[in-house]
């Protein structure tokens, strides 16, 4: 197994990354401190060790990506996480975003459709730090009806539209942060707040580019 070391160099690069995120407009201190605390290079192949703190997405297994730190910070800031909240994440991927949510005190339930990525969750390096994270192999479009309702729902892949079943699994006054396709290559970041009558208050934010949210699960 590769030796995991959070060296002085990594800590310095992480501080610079946090500063860059601030310059780019991330203001939530709790989000910044979570990113400052979590060694992102642990979630990447060792080949990326020296560049792990660049504000870029990188390839992970199964042709997927670890989201860009700015995107992780942006989505997390929109979620306004409070300690103890039940958060459903769609798209576990590298587990980095999952870890940011857990570090902020959320009770995280996360779903991945790629078996190869899901299998890596059994070797999650921070299991002892965040024992309450629950990992699921499945289709995020279905959500986790038996564990609903959730305070917050985060979608970390490009959604064709608002998945109806996920909307049903959100609490009243709960919030969903979701990048929804606007063109072939870009998604609009939306924050939807569930009103008492079940309808949505919709807020629109910047454009991003995510890997697609796909139907079903896969063992390939
Ligand atoms: N949060 C991840 C982002 C990974 S990219 C990270 O920080 O690393 C998006 C992930 O969503 C991919 O791993 C992809 O396989 C997964 N995904 C796409 N459609 C999905 C679906 N319907 N259900 C669950 N996961 C899905």
């Amino acid at each position: 197994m590769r030796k995991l070391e959070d060296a002085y160099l990594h800590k310095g690069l992480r501080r610079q990354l946090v500063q860059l995120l601030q310059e780019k407009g991330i203001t939530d201190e709790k989000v910044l401190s979570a990113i400052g605390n979590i060694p992102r290079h642990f979630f990447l192949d060792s080949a990326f060790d020296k560049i792990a703190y660049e504000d870029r997405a990188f390839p992970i297994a199964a042709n997927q990506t670890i989201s860009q730190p700015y995107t992780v910070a942006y989505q997390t800031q929109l979620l306004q996480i409070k300690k103890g909240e039940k958060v459903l994440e769609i798209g576990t991927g590298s587990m980095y975003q999952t870890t940011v949510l857990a570090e902020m005190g959320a009770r995280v339930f996360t779903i991945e459709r790629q078996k190869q990525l899901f299998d890596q969750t059994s070797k999650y390096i921070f299991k002892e730090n965040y024992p309450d994270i629950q990992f699921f192999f499945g289709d995020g479009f279905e959500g986790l009806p038996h564990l609903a309702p959730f305070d917050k729902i985060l979608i970390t892949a490009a959604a064709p539209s608002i998945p109806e079943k996920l909307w049903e699994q959100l609490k009243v006054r709960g919030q969903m942060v979701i990048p929804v396709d606007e063109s072939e290559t870009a998604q609009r970041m939306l924050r939807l707040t569930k009103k008492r009558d079940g309808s949505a208050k919709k807020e629109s934010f910047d454009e991003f580019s995510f890997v697609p949210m796909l139907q079903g699960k896969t063992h390939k």
Side-chain angles (χ1 to χ4, degrees):
M1 210 189 119
R2 79 182 261 232
K3 192 160 157 249
L4 292 169
E5 211 181 340
D6 193 22
Y8 189 72
L9 168 75
H10 296 123
K11 292 184 176 133
L13 292 172
R14 206 144 69 231
R15 269 195 297 277
Q16 286 175 24
L17 172 63
V18 167
Q19 206 177 340
L20 178 69
L21 296 176
Q22 273 177 308
E23 285 160 17
K24 287 187 166 182
I26 304 298
T27 51
D28 186 327
E29 289 295 335
K30 285 185 283 182
V31 173
L32 293 166
S33 99
I35 288 181
N37 286 338
I38 299 166
R40 186 178 189 240
H41 64 288
F42 287 6
F43 297 83
L44 289 163
D45 190 273
S46 57
F48 297 100
D49 242 37
K50 291 204 171 63
I51 51 174
Y53 295 96
E54 290 182 9
D55 191 21
R56 290 165 53 186
F58 289 112
I60 55 173
N63 277 325
Q64 302 302 316
T65 56
I66 178 172
S67 298
Q68 186 181 339
Y70 176 66
T71 307
V72 171
Y74 194 101
Q75 289 199 291
T76 311
Q77 176 163 287
L78 286 180
L79 276 174
Q80 310 180 92
I81 299 292
K82 288 176 210 75
K83 274 207 170 63
E85 281 184 334
K86 263 176 85 178
V87 180
L88 173 62
E89 179 196 22
I90 309 302
T92 313
S94 67
M95 304 177 261
Y96 178 70
Q97 168 77 75
T98 314
T99 305
V100 170
L101 294 168
E103 169 71 11
M104 294 181 69
R107 284 186 288 148
V108 190
F109 302 77
T110 181
I111 310 177
E112 174 56 55
R113 68 179 291 281
Q114 293 276 357
K115 187 70 166 43
Q116 197 187 347
L117 290 170
F118 171 75
D119 284 346
Q120 296 183 356
T121 67
S122 64
K123 289 173 273 163
Y124 180 51
I125 36 168
F126 292 117
K127 204 173 275 178
E128 280 175 24
N129 304 58
Y130 312 106
D132 297 332
I133 298 177
Q134 293 190 39
F135 296 101
F136 298 86
F137 175 51
D139 179 0
F141 280 100
E142 301 295 323
L144 297 170
H146 59 296
L147 293 164
F150 298 94
D151 296 295
K152 305 280 162 75
I153 299 180
L154 172 63
I155 287 88
T156 72
S161 59
I162 311 300
E164 207 173 305
K165 290 180 182 166
L166 294 183
W167 183 251
E168 284 167 11
Q169 293 170 32
L170 189 63
K171 275 186 195 167
V172 170
R173 282 186 293 275
Q175 293 185 307
M176 175 184 290
V177 170
I178 178 168
V180 176
D181 285 337
E182 202 166 57
S183 68
E184 293 263 306
T185 53
Q187 297 82 47
R188 178 68 54 192
M189 191 68 76
L190 302 180
R191 179 170 60 195
L192 305 168
T193 307
K194 197 173 204 170
K195 297 198 236 172
R196 281 175 75 101
D197 66 2
S199 65
K201 176 187 140 195
K202 177 172 149 185
E203 298 168 277
S204 293
F205 299 91
D206 294 318
E207 266 193 354
F208 288 85
S209 179
F210 285 78
V211 295
M213 181 174 182
L214 300 171
Q215 300 278 351
K217 52 186 178 183
T218 175
H219 288 263
K220 263 185 272 158

